[in-house]
Amino acid sequence: MKRQLSAISFAAVLIFGACSSEQKKSEAAYVPNSDIRVVEANMVKEGDKRIKAEAVLGTPTFEENTQDGSVLEWYFESTTYQKNSYKTLADKPSRIDDSTKYIKVIVDKKGVIKKYEYKL
C-alpha cells in the first residue's frame, strides 16, 4: 500500500512539474517604491539643485558623468492602478522610441539643473 501511494505521489509531482515548466514572460524590473505622478515631475525646474531632483524623483535609471557635470535619466512605464502614475524602470530600455516615458536632467559641476525635459 505504501509503495502504491509513493508511486502515485511521485507520478503526480512529475506531471505537475512538467505542466508548470512552460516559459513565463519576464516582467521588467522596477525600482521599488518609486511610483511618480505628473504632479511630482512638475515640482522640479531648471535652476534647482540636483539633490532636489533626486529627492522628488528617486534614484535615476541611468547616470552619465562628464567633465561639465552629469546627465541623469529616469525611464518609466505607466501603472494600471492609478491615472497619471508611472513606475520607474530599474534599467534603461534597450529600445527608445516616441512612446518611451522619460525625464532627462542635465546638471552642471556645481549641482545646478541646467536643462530639464520630460515626456510622461
Side-chain angles (χ1 to χ4, degrees):
M1 183 68 179
K2 287 183 182 180
R3 282 189 176 181
Q4 289 178 342
L5 190 56
S6 296
I8 292 171
S9 302
F10 183 71
V13 169
L14 286 178
I15 291 170
F16 287 121
C19 292
S20 66
S21 67
E22 67 184 55
Q23 280 189 337
K24 294 173 177 60
K25 291 183 181 180
S26 62
E27 188 175 310
Y30 301 105
V31 177
N33 302 318
S34 65
D35 287 6
I36 184 169
R37 292 170 296 282
V38 176
V39 159
E40 292 160 334
N42 287 327
M43 291 173 68
V44 180
K45 304 281 185 225
E46 290 180 17
D48 288 341
K49 294 282 187 179
R50 172 186 175 152
I51 197 162
K52 179 180 178 184
E54 288 190 57
V56 172
L57 304 172
T59 305
T61 303
F62 176 77
E63 180 177 351
E64 180 182 16
N65 295 311
T66 64
Q67 286 184 334
D68 299 327
S70 301
V71 177
L72 308 172
E73 296 175 347
W74 289 262
Y75 292 94
F76 302 98
E77 189 173 279
S78 296
T79 61
T80 56
Y81 48 82
Q82 185 176 14
K83 186 177 177 182
N84 294 326
S85 178
Y86 304 91
K87 295 185 280 191
T88 305
L89 296 172
D91 299 314
K92 186 175 181 177
S94 58
R95 194 180 105 239
I96 298 172
D97 55 18
D98 292 339
S99 66
T100 305
K101 312 282 191 242
Y102 70 92
I103 293 177
K104 183 176 183 180
V105 176
I106 298 176
V107 181
D108 68 4
K109 292 180 190 178
K110 296 180 181 179
V112 177
I113 297 172
K114 292 297 177 189
K115 186 175 181 184
Y116 180 78
E117 63 183 53
Y118 68 94
K119 179 184 174 208
L120 296 177

